[in-house]
Amino acid sequence: MTDDKSKELEFNTAIIAPDENRELISLRKYQLVVSGNEGAKRKYELGKKKTIKIGKKNDNDIVIDDRTVSRYHVEISVTEDNNYVLKDLNSTNGTSINGIKVKEAFLTQGDLIEIGETKLEFQTYDEKVQIEPSDENQFGQMVGKSRKMRQIFGILGRISPSQATVIVEGETGTGKELVAKAIHEHSLRKDKPFIVFDCSAVAANLIESELFGHTKGSFTGALKDRMGAFEAANGGTIFLDEIGELSLDLQPKLLRALEQREIKRVGSTKSVSLDVRVISATNRNLKEEVKDGAFREDLYYRLSVVKIQLPSLRERLEDIPLIVEKILGSARFNRKPDGDYYVTRVEDDALKILQRYQWPGNIRELHNVIERAVSFSEKGVIKGSHLQYVFSEIESGEEATVRLQNIDLDKPFKEAKQAVVESFEAEYLQELLERNKGNVSKAAREAKIDRKHLRNLLVKYGILKTELDDDDDEDE
């Protein structure tokens, strides 16, 4: 990529991971389309400068020949996280966006700006640019030698040090949280908090409080002031998993937090300023959700400054040997009490079996299969016969029968799938808590999930009847 393109990436938005042509990505660029009284239209590309001035005087970046426009009417600047902000420069006739007079406002795709008798439309368009795949087979905790993954590694290497808001899309189990962690670890915020918030795991009546915090007495059960996930992430990164599950009534509040970089705790009128980078993830097609009215278009554009599309595991089967090596080298289930490994080698016939399977559950399913194969391994080796036995168990449907016996299979696929997931989660969490004698902190460490997240799940499934205080079951 040329130096000029590198500079453009600093000020333009939405790098989108490649689809059909693995050499290209789409660079979302912004422009103003200026319409005068005579109907003529002019286009001005944004992003080459951090701030542009618009007005009647000749030294403006965009000169408007309109007697009703002030000499220096408005300026448009790009923020550190690549959002565009319009500011009226105390003009005589004022500035309107979509018919509403404003002094300062964030711009969203399609906004119509009126200054005097001149109209300017804020538009986006995608430009194809070339980016080389990384020479490395690893980025953070992710591994892969496939061109698709090395291309993504190359993109992540470019955008991680920036402040850009990122959305990661992909099927369940493809490793979206690993992408978020890798971006954080390669950013200037790496020594600051990394907070994970699962939008699908919190009860609807608690999600606003969990995101933004609450004050004492703001609702029944609010026994003390409490910060939310955004405040906990201040200075660092917040990862909003399953963002597509966020209800429509909460989406404007998240949009405000993204635009203004401030939040208000539930029950408080005081704003809390934030310095936080937002990374989100979804297994849904948010563009389709926008079309269906299930997700706000303006919030979608705020979240997708950079958009990464993760491939499924079946699209990169050649990466399986590297992924298996990574799992065996880091997973607790492959460590003996003395620190040695249970398994140190996977035979070729076993790897071939893994590469012939289509992995509907992606890397998460591969992880589970390897864990079971380790328990059958002999003399530190996983053989093809061990995996054949594991897959025969899967194909026999013994576990599936247990999971499905109380599920109404006449439901639509999406609802039935969600019911299966909830049934599994409830059973797993119940056994997890019993095994740890009701100690949520110990259970969270065993399950390798955030204690707060686990507590919310336990409340969601009625395993805990009320929220626990932060310190009621902490270990000594």
Side-chain angles (χ1 to χ4, degrees):
M1 186 176 290
T2 66
D3 288 340
D4 288 340
K5 288 294 182 189
S6 299
K7 291 176 183 176
E8 288 181 10
L9 283 172
E10 294 177 11
F11 307 126
N12 289 282
T13 57
I15 302 170
I16 305 175
D19 293 319
E20 296 303 322
N21 190 334
R22 305 305 174 186
E23 296 291 340
L24 297 178
I25 63 171
S26 294
L27 176 63
R28 184 181 296 159
K29 304 185 81 172
Y30 286 88
Q31 64 183 8
L32 285 175
V33 179
V34 183
S35 303
N37 283 333
E38 299 176 357
K41 292 187 176 182
R42 295 173 291 162
K43 295 180 180 179
Y44 295 91
E45 183 180 320
L46 302 177
K48 292 183 176 179
K49 295 177 66 176
K50 283 193 171 182
T51 301
I52 65 165
K53 284 186 168 60
I54 303 172
K56 190 163 53 180
K57 200 169 181 184
N58 288 334
D59 58 351
N60 284 283
D61 298 289
I62 298 179
V63 179
I64 306 294
D65 184 14
D66 180 345
R67 61 181 178 79
T68 61
V69 170
S70 297
R71 290 185 303 166
Y72 300 103
H73 201 107
V74 295
E75 68 177 20
I76 297 176
S77 56
V78 61
T79 64
E80 284 188 352
D81 53 350
N82 291 330
N83 288 316
Y84 283 86
V85 182
L86 176 144
K87 183 179 180 180
D88 182 86
L89 301 176
N90 297 316
S91 63
T92 302
N93 293 318
T95 302
S96 297
I97 298 179
N98 302 326
I100 301 173
K101 278 212 167 186
V102 298
K103 284 292 184 183
E104 187 171 357
F106 283 86
L107 294 174
T108 300
Q109 155 67 14
D111 278 347
L112 186 63
I113 305 162
E114 295 179 77
I115 56 173
E117 296 177 356
T118 300
K119 296 180 180 179
L120 306 89
E121 187 174 356
F122 184 71
Q123 295 181 346
T124 67
Y125 65 98
D126 290 340
E127 179 180 87
K128 294 290 185 181
V129 296
Q130 194 167 19
I131 188 167
E132 290 299 319
S134 171
D135 294 331
E136 302 295 326
N137 290 339
Q138 181 167 351
F139 191 88
Q141 295 300 307
M142 297 174 290
V143 293
K145 64 179 182 179
S146 63
R147 190 172 187 83
K148 295 178 185 179
M149 289 308 296
R150 289 189 297 109
Q151 190 107 33
I152 288 175
F153 295 164
I155 295 169
L156 294 177
R158 294 293 302 278
I159 61 96
S160 292
S162 75
Q163 302 297 325
T165 303
V166 180
I167 189 166
V168 189
E169 294 186 351
E171 295 179 10
T172 298
T174 49
K176 297 186 285 293
E177 185 172 341
L178 291 181
V179 174
K181 284 182 179 178
I183 292 172
H184 176 74
E185 290 166 359
H186 288 78
S187 74
L188 301 178
R189 301 171 180 264
K190 60 184 179 181
D191 297 324
K192 301 296 183 179
F194 176 79
I195 301 297
V196 178
F197 185 88
D198 189 342
C199 298
S200 68
V202 182
N205 63 325
L206 294 175
I207 193 166
E208 183 177 1
S209 167
E210 295 293 337
L211 267 178
F212 305 125
H214 63 251
T215 58
K216 180 180 178 180
S218 56
F219 56 85
T220 303
L223 303 179
K224 59 183 180 180
D225 288 356
R226 186 174 178 183
M227 72 167 58
F230 267 94
E231 282 187 82
N234 204 12
T237 304
I238 186 169
F239 174 53
L240 302 175
D241 200 8
E242 301 300 345
I243 190 68
E245 303 294 330
L246 197 66
S247 63
L248 276 171
D249 61 324
L250 278 175
Q251 290 178 24
K253 296 177 181 179
L254 176 58
L255 179 62
R256 181 179 182 277
L258 292 173
E259 288 185 340
Q260 306 296 334
R261 285 297 188 252
E262 63 181 29
I263 55 97
K264 290 181 182 178
R265 292 184 178 184
V266 176
S268 174
T269 58
K270 182 181 177 182
S271 295
V272 179
S273 297
L274 296 173
D275 172 24
V276 61
R277 185 179 191 175
V278 178
I279 303 174
S280 56
T282 181
N283 58 13
R284 298 187 181 190
N285 185 329
L286 286 190
K287 275 193 173 180
E288 293 300 319
E289 298 282 313
V290 169
K291 289 179 184 177
D292 295 340
F295 203 85
R296 290 178 61 110
E297 183 178 27
D298 46 6
L299 178 57
Y300 171 73
Y301 277 105
R302 285 282 174 257
L303 293 170
S304 60
V305 171
V306 175
K307 179 179 171 185
I308 303 294
Q309 181 70 45
L310 281 184
S312 64
L313 185 54
R314 62 185 169 275
E315 294 179 85
R316 56 184 191 107
L317 294 173
E318 69 217 77
D319 290 339
I320 284 180
L322 274 178
I323 299 171
V324 170
E325 181 181 351
K326 182 71 176 177
I327 292 171
L328 291 175
S330 59
R332 187 194 303 178
F333 63 74
N334 194 36
R335 283 294 182 99
K336 298 178 182 179
D338 63 3
D340 287 343
Y341 295 106
Y342 287 109
V343 170
T344 57
R345 183 164 62 88
V346 181
E347 291 193 344
D348 287 344
D349 62 339
L351 289 173
K352 287 177 182 177
I353 290 172
L354 294 174
Q355 289 179 302
R356 285 197 293 267
Y357 186 61
Q358 290 300 295
W359 302 106
N362 293 293
I363 296 172
R364 188 174 299 157
E365 184 181 12
L366 173 61
H367 189 282
N368 293 337
V369 166
I370 295 301
E371 181 173 2
R372 295 173 71 181
V374 166
S375 66
F376 294 117
S377 65
E378 301 170 286
K379 297 179 180 178
V381 178
I382 292 178
K383 301 179 180 179
S385 58
H386 300 143
L387 284 170
Q388 286 173 347
Y389 182 76
V390 171
F391 281 116
S392 69
E393 278 192 328
I394 295 173
E395 291 171 2
S396 71
E398 292 176 7
E399 292 184 337
T401 301
V402 175
R403 299 279 180 237
L404 294 175
Q405 62 185 359
N406 296 317
I407 304 301
D408 181 3
L409 297 182
D410 291 332
K411 290 182 177 180
F413 171 77
K414 185 175 179 180
E415 293 180 18
K417 178 182 176 183
Q418 184 62 29
V420 172
V421 170
E422 290 179 353
S423 174
F424 162 76
E425 286 184 349
E427 182 180 337
Y428 175 88
L429 294 169
Q430 183 72 52
E431 292 181 2
L432 176 70
L433 197 61
E434 289 175 0
R435 191 162 59 247
N436 286 277
K437 299 179 180 180
N439 190 305
V440 178
S441 296
K442 288 182 178 178
R445 285 196 292 272
E446 180 183 328
K448 293 185 178 180
I449 58 177
D450 180 73
R451 179 181 178 277
K452 189 175 178 182
H453 182 191
L454 174 59
R455 188 186 62 240
N456 290 333
L457 286 171
L458 294 170
V459 172
K460 175 183 177 181
Y461 290 108
I463 299 169
L464 291 179
K465 300 303 180 186
T466 59
E467 283 193 280
L468 297 174
D469 290 337
D470 286 341
D471 58 356
D472 62 357
D473 75 336
E474 289 290 350
D475 300 330
E476 305 79 38

